[in-house]
Amino acid sequence: MKKSLLKKIMCGALAAAMIMSICTGCGSEKKDDSKSEGNTEKTYKVGICQLTQHEALDAATKGFQDALKEKLGDKVEFDLQNASGDSATCATIANQFVHDGVDLILANATPALQAAMAATGDIPIVATSITDFATALEADEWTGKTGINVTGTSDLAPLDKQAAMIKELLPEAKTVGILYCSSEANSKYQADVVKAELDKLGLTSKVYTVADTNEIATVVTKACEEVDCLYIPTDNTIAEATAAVKEVAEPKNIPIVAGEEGICRGCGIATLSISYYSIGYEAGLMAYDILVNGKDPADMEIKYATELTNKYVKERTTALGITVPDTYEAIEMSEE
């Protein structure tokens, strides 16, 4: 009887231990699930490398930050660094982000993206204000996805429509000067496409490049002596120095069609404008999907601007006697 009783006690103890083990395991599994879902509980560190400070890139960065703040509230911290237009500084910033172990990098403009790519193949990179990702990534074949730790949003507006805008607004123009910075690969891409489109429209085009802002006055002076109008693509170097372009071109009555609104506001007459805030905001939503929902940037399609508006600067078109269709929206200009 004693052995039978002892056996029953031992069996009961073993069963109780098994039940406790199962319960403990259940509790542990539940805790792990909570931790997994706790991506929204974690505070994320996001490094932002912006090539330079100007209207378009500033708007894209703000849109990105606003999107993540709306999604994560105070669970996201930004380290915003501006490279002041210097590619080497972009590299320094990107390497510091890697050293600091940020959870994600926003690369705002092509040199920032290229620096981030050189710094890390592991940390997710979301880029914005990239005209052509294939050019920025030096990709021979393009599928719409990068296949690496990079995704993001493009600021490319339809270049054929920008060329057509020149023909529409300046029907008497015969020769178009295309002005951009030679060190910006995306600017060259745009220039080549627009040149081909101008050829289709029967217009002659001449290309003028600057190595940096110090050459702008000299190059623009030469261009204004040889062309009827200028086209400037989305170019970060020119965007920093629109006042210098305006100072030369305006007294010579040379109209300028620009690739984006910031450059147009500074020295142009018209643009087919995208919203940089919107592409930045979209990039922020993509970052949220990566950080919280576990999306792989390698498999995420690059996204493009959907908000396109024909815009013009009324003061300049009026001064030049240019007739603007009613479908164009006037750009609000601050008093200079």
Side-chain angles (χ1 to χ4, degrees), residues 27-42:
S28 176
E29 184 176 349
K30 184 175 182 181
K31 184 177 181 180
D32 288 343
D33 283 346
S34 174
K35 186 176 180 180
S36 175
E37 292 171 358
N39 284 335
T40 55
E41 295 300 317
K42 173 183 175 179

Side-chain angles (χ1 to χ4, degrees), residues 152-321:
T153 56
S154 169
D155 63 357
L156 182 63
L159 296 172
D160 57 337
K161 293 183 179 179
Q162 291 188 2
M165 178 179 285
I166 296 171
K167 185 78 170 179
E168 179 180 46
L169 296 177
L170 307 167
E172 302 301 319
K174 303 298 181 185
T175 305
V176 181
I178 302 174
L179 174 68
Y180 67 94
C181 178
S182 57
S183 64
E184 297 195 31
N186 279 316
S187 296
K188 183 182 186 307
Y189 167 81
Q190 294 172 82
D192 290 345
V193 174
V194 168
K195 189 176 190 306
E197 293 297 330
L198 292 172
D199 288 344
K200 293 177 186 177
L201 296 171
L203 294 171
T204 300
S205 56
K206 290 187 175 185
V207 173
Y208 300 88
T209 63
V210 298
D212 53 44
T213 56
N214 295 324
E215 296 183 355
I216 286 179
T218 301
V219 173
V220 174
T221 297
K222 176 177 171 57
C224 288
E225 293 170 353
E226 300 175 346
V227 303
D228 301 311
C229 64
L230 285 171
Y231 169 77
I232 302 174
T234 55
D235 183 285
N236 295 300
T237 301
I238 304 297
E240 284 187 88
T242 55
V245 177
K246 176 187 172 185
E247 185 176 343
V248 176
E250 194 167 89
K252 296 182 181 298
N253 294 323
I254 297 295
I256 299 170
V257 172
E260 57 93 6
E261 186 173 338
I263 295 175
C264 185
R265 190 188 302 275
C267 62
I269 62 161
T271 183
L272 178 57
S273 176
I274 70 163
S275 168
Y276 274 82
Y277 179 88
S278 293
I279 63 170
Y281 190 93
E282 187 64 44
L285 296 180
M286 297 172 83
Y288 176 81
D289 267 345
I290 293 167
L291 292 171
V292 177
N293 298 329
K295 290 283 186 72
D296 184 350
D299 298 327
M300 298 172 73
E301 292 274 357
I302 299 301
K303 297 190 177 182
Y304 294 83
T306 56
E307 298 179 24
L308 300 170
T309 309
N310 289 334
K311 293 190 175 184
Y312 75 108
V313 177
K314 185 176 180 180
E315 294 88 337
R316 295 180 191 142
T317 54
T318 299
L320 292 168

